Amino acid sequence: MSHEVTPVLVDSNVLLDVVTNDPAWGSWSRVSLEQTADDAILVINPLIYAEVSIGFASVEALEDALPSDLYRREDLPYEAAFLAGKAYLAYRRRGGSRTSPLPDFYIGAHAAVSGYRLLTRDATRYRSYYPKLELIVPSA
């Protein structure tokens, strides 16, 4: 009997919570990451890698924290770029601040166009702009 595994894109906020041992979110993020890794393929992209890199002094230390045998690395799909741009435009038209990072829209779009779930603690924006995206988020 074959079991289809849906990959999970891991948002940088979850990874940063774990590597910084964030007092508010570290425990939830660590447990959620471990549980997700038990039954899914964990995926990161260059934007996530870049956002997490701020916590490391060297690429070697970052590679140790995000080993490629645990985190599958994927390029950003061009279709996700289009969708991210449209979501960001909708955000701006709703009065969103210009300081809001476009990478969040790109991360959501990558998960959406690839049919992945997204492990994040930022449910509000992703639910607003990607309503069909399956999220793994903290319960209320």
Side-chain angles (χ1 to χ4, degrees):
M1 184 173 188
S2 152
H3 177 249
E4 184 74 23
V5 177
T6 302
V8 174
L9 192 64
V10 182
D11 199 355
S12 52
N13 58 31
V14 171
L15 296 168
L16 285 167
D17 289 346
V18 173
V19 300
T20 64
N21 200 21
D22 182 88
W25 290 104
S27 179
W28 179 87
S29 292
R30 186 174 358 281
V31 168
S32 298
L33 195 56
E34 289 169 358
Q35 290 173 344
T36 303
D38 284 344
D39 63 9
I41 297 164
L42 302 178
V43 178
I44 60 173
N45 64 36
L47 289 172
I48 294 164
Y49 190 90
E51 289 181 331
V52 174
S53 75
I54 64 169
F56 295 88
S58 70
V59 71
E60 293 81 9
L62 179 58
E63 285 292 321
D64 287 344
L66 299 176
S68 60
D69 60 335
L70 181 57
Y71 297 97
R72 183 170 80 193
R73 284 140 164 80
E74 289 190 3
D75 291 330
L76 295 161
Y78 279 85
E79 295 85 356
F82 181 83
L83 184 58
K86 295 301 181 192
Y88 185 72
L89 179 61
Y91 165 80
R92 292 291 297 130
R93 286 182 174 160
R94 291 180 184 172
S97 166
R98 289 187 192 273
T99 61
S100 177
L102 184 57
D104 288 347
F105 290 99
Y106 214 141
I107 289 166
H110 181 180
V113 303
S114 298
Y116 296 167
R117 294 178 288 159
L118 178 64
L119 175 59
T120 184
R121 60 177 167 76
D122 185 16
T124 304
R125 179 170 298 155
Y126 293 117
R127 282 194 179 125
S128 296
Y129 296 96
Y130 306 102
K132 294 180 181 177
L133 181 60
E134 185 180 342
L135 302 175
I136 303 168
V137 295
S139 56

